[in-house]
């Protein structure tokens, strides 16, 4: 297995600039407390897609490359669960950032992946680039900013493994990626282009994100979207909802959590299929709803259902959703026709559920991402 670069940092020994912004998020967002505009009022981008033929079937693309766009940062995870940040005696340093987690997750499963994003021209930034390289992720699309630091996030682990976050950015390097810095050739080579919503929060990264997605769509690349809501990073709940939905209709596959459904629908029941169907746009090929240890739900134009998850003892849920995304994208990149066969799609989602389950058994995101062998072994044990 590739080197994982994880060490323990004592809280008092971490030097952080006073100009950095602290943002705090509790693990469970009560969406009903936010006042948000109705779904129909959100302006949305529209790209011409070449990913699917006129009959709705996927067009073939030689590459099985998945290019992941967005943030990569350092997570500081407490060595003892169930304590507040101030009470934690020490933190384990772990690479993270949802799009980067997905890129490493795909590579660790034996797939082909690349990462596009920006880090600081500092020791953490170079460390993250090296971690991608060691994990067989193409890092040619990474850029280094000499004037901004690599983002940091301190993660509090509750006794049940759920998380609370405190972010250090304002600005961090990931927010400063410019359109002119994009590796457009790398994007065009992809089978799937995957991204989140954090890169939509501020300029110039927002414009870079939109430009990259348009280049991908125009090249016939399949677009994958995991909003990955981090509410404190947005100016307001309303801007978060508007930003997330502004690119909703351009994606071919969307993965969301129960909490994100509640947030986007202003507190409606995320377990009600009628509520979920409100988020299914006409061009969407697959909508996935993750439910933690309970598994996931899937929705296409032709069929829908639920796939049970694997029950494990959770140590740290950081990166579980990203591992799930890596699990399903690693299989779709090889064969998009999975989307037309419910039985095969269910098998792929069973594999993705196992990826997520194994990840919560260790601390940190990237260090905990499983290999294909580990996932297959866990599925065999479950069947046995």
């Amino acid at each position: 297995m590739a080197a994982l670069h994880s060490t323990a940092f004592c809280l008092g020994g971490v030097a952080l600039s006073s100009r950095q912004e602290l943002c705090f998020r509790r693990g469970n967002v009560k969406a009903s407390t936010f006042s948000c505009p109705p779904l129909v009022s959100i302006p949305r981008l529209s790209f011409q897609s070449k990913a699917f033929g006129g009959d709705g079937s996927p067009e073939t693309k030689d590459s099985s490359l998945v290019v992941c766009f967005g943030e990569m940062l350092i997570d500081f995870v407490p060595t003892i669960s169930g304590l507040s940040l101030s009470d934690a005696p020490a933190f384990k340093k772990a690479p993270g950032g949802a799009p980067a987690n997905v890129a490493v997750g795909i590579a660790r499963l034996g797939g082909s992946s690349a990462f596009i994003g920006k880090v600081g021209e500092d020791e953490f930034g170079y460390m993250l680039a090296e971690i991608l390289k060691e994990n067989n992720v193409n890092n040619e699309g990474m850029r280094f900013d000499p004037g901004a630091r690599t983002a940091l996030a301190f993660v509090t682990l509750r006794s049940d493994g759920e998380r609370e976050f405190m972010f250090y950015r304002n600005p961090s390097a990931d927010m400063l990626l410019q359109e002119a810095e994009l590796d457009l050739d790398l994007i065009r080579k992809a089978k799937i282009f995957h991204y989140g919503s954090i890169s939509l929060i501020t300029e110039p990264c927002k414009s870079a994100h939109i430009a990259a997605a348009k280049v991908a769509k125009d090249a016939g690349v399949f677009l994958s979207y995991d909003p990955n809501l981090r509410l404190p990073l947005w100016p307001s709940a309303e801007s978060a909802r508007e930003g997330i939905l502004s690119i909703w209709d351009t994606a071919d596959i969307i993965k969301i959590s129960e909490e994100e459904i509640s947030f986007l629908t202003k507190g409606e029941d995320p377990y009600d299929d009628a509520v979920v169907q409100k988020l299914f746009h006409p061009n969407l090929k697959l909508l996935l709803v993750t439910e933690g240890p309970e598994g996931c739900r899937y929705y296409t134009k032709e069929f829908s259902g639920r796939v049970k998850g694997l029950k494990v003892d959770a140590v740290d849920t950081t990166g579980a959703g990203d591992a799930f995304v890596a699990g399903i994208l690693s299989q779709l990149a090889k064969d998009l026709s999975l989307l037309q066969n419910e039985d095969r799609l269910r098998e792929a989602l069973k594999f993705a559920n196992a990826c997520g389950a194994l990840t919560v058994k260790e601390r940190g995101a990237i260090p905990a991402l499983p290999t294909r062998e580990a996932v297959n072994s866990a599925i065999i044990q479950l069947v046995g």
Side-chain angles (χ1 to χ4, degrees), residues 69 192-200 209 222-229 234 240-257 260 264 281 284 286-288 325 329:
F69 175 94
I192 298 174
F193 183 69
H194 175 74
Y195 48 85
S197 68
I198 290 176
S199 47
L200 295 170
H209 177 137
F222 192 80
L223 298 191
S224 167
Y225 184 25
D226 177 2
N228 195 37
L229 176 66
W234 293 85
R241 184 169 174 277
E242 181 175 343
I244 288 171
L245 290 174
S246 69
I247 61 170
W248 197 261
D249 289 353
T250 68
D252 296 295
I253 176 173
I254 297 175
K255 173 262 176 190
I256 47 176
S257 67
E260 288 162 344
L264 293 174
H281 67 75
L284 193 60
L286 177 63
L287 177 63
L288 296 170
V325 172
L329 292 187

Side-chain angles (χ1 to χ4, degrees), residues 45-52 59-61 179 182 184-193 195 208-224 250-252:
L45 301 175
S46 179
F47 301 152
Q48 292 298 315
S49 171
K50 297 180 183 178
F52 281 70
E59 293 180 359
T60 59
K61 198 173 176 70
E179 182 178 346
L182 294 173
L184 301 182
D185 289 338
L186 182 60
I187 294 171
R188 294 187 181 104
K189 291 177 184 176
K191 182 75 162 285
I192 298 174
F193 183 69
Y195 48 85
H209 177 137
I210 293 170
K214 187 177 188 307
V215 167
K217 201 75 167 178
D218 288 346
V221 179
F222 192 80
L223 298 191
S224 167
T250 68
D252 296 295

Side-chain angles (χ1 to χ4, degrees), residues 226-303:
D226 177 2
N228 195 37
L229 176 66
R230 294 290 182 266
L231 196 55
L233 299 181
W234 293 85
S236 66
E238 181 176 339
S239 66
R241 184 169 174 277
E242 181 175 343
I244 288 171
L245 290 174
S246 69
I247 61 170
W248 197 261
D249 289 353
T250 68
D252 296 295
I253 176 173
I254 297 175
K255 173 262 176 190
I256 47 176
S257 67
E258 305 150 280
E259 293 85 356
E260 288 162 344
I261 293 174
S262 293
F263 176 75
L264 293 174
T265 60
K266 298 197 300 182
E268 294 191 53
D269 183 2
Y271 302 101
D272 185 342
D273 281 351
V275 172
V276 178
Q277 290 291 350
K278 293 179 182 180
L279 297 173
F280 197 101
H281 67 75
N283 298 316
L284 193 60
K285 310 303 183 297
L286 177 63
L287 177 63
L288 296 170
V289 180
T290 53
E291 300 179 342
E294 300 305 316
C296 68
R297 282 174 281 160
Y298 58 91
Y299 301 83
T300 74
K301 291 179 180 178
E302 288 77 30
F303 46 76

Side-chain angles (χ1 to χ4, degrees), residues 44-230:
R44 304 190 181 193
L45 301 175
S46 179
F47 301 152
Q48 292 298 315
S49 171
K50 297 180 183 178
F52 281 70
D55 62 353
S57 62
E59 293 180 359
T60 59
K61 198 173 176 70
D62 292 338
S63 170
S64 62
L65 175 67
V66 180
V67 173
C68 301
F69 175 94
E71 69 279 1
M72 189 173 192
L73 49 84
I74 303 291
D75 287 329
F76 287 93
V77 184
T79 55
I80 299 177
S81 300
L83 298 178
S84 67
L85 288 177
S86 59
D87 291 333
F91 294 83
K92 177 183 177 182
K93 180 185 63 178
N101 294 342
V102 173
V104 173
I106 289 169
R108 202 165 288 172
L109 292 170
S112 174
S113 65
F115 174 76
I116 292 178
K118 202 170 194 180
V119 293
E121 195 173 278
D122 51 38
E123 288 195 28
F124 281 154
Y126 289 121
M127 184 195 83
L128 292 175
E130 185 63 22
I131 287 172
L132 291 180
K133 182 178 178 181
E134 291 174 350
N135 282 278
N136 299 313
V137 176
N138 183 327
N139 65 3
E140 294 175 3
M142 287 190 78
R143 301 294 179 260
F144 299 83
D145 195 300
R149 297 296 189 188
T150 301
L152 307 178
F154 283 80
V155 187
T156 301
L157 298 179
R158 300 199 316 239
S159 56
D160 62 357
E162 286 297 329
R163 307 153 295 160
E164 297 172 348
F165 292 90
M166 183 162 62
F167 296 93
Y168 284 74
R169 60 205 311 260
N170 190 33
S172 52
D174 61 285
M175 303 162 68
L176 302 178
L177 181 68
Q178 301 182 47
E179 182 178 346
E181 296 176 301
L182 294 173
D183 188 334
L184 301 182
D185 289 338
L186 182 60
I187 294 171
R188 294 187 181 104
K189 291 177 184 176
K191 182 75 162 285
I192 298 174
F193 183 69
H194 175 74
Y195 48 85
S197 68
I198 290 176
S199 47
L200 295 170
I201 297 175
T202 58
E203 293 290 0
C205 190
K206 177 180 178 179
S207 292
H209 177 137
I210 293 170
K214 187 177 188 307
V215 167
K217 201 75 167 178
D218 288 346
V221 179
F222 192 80
L223 298 191
S224 167
Y225 184 25
D226 177 2
N228 195 37
L229 176 66
R230 294 290 182 266

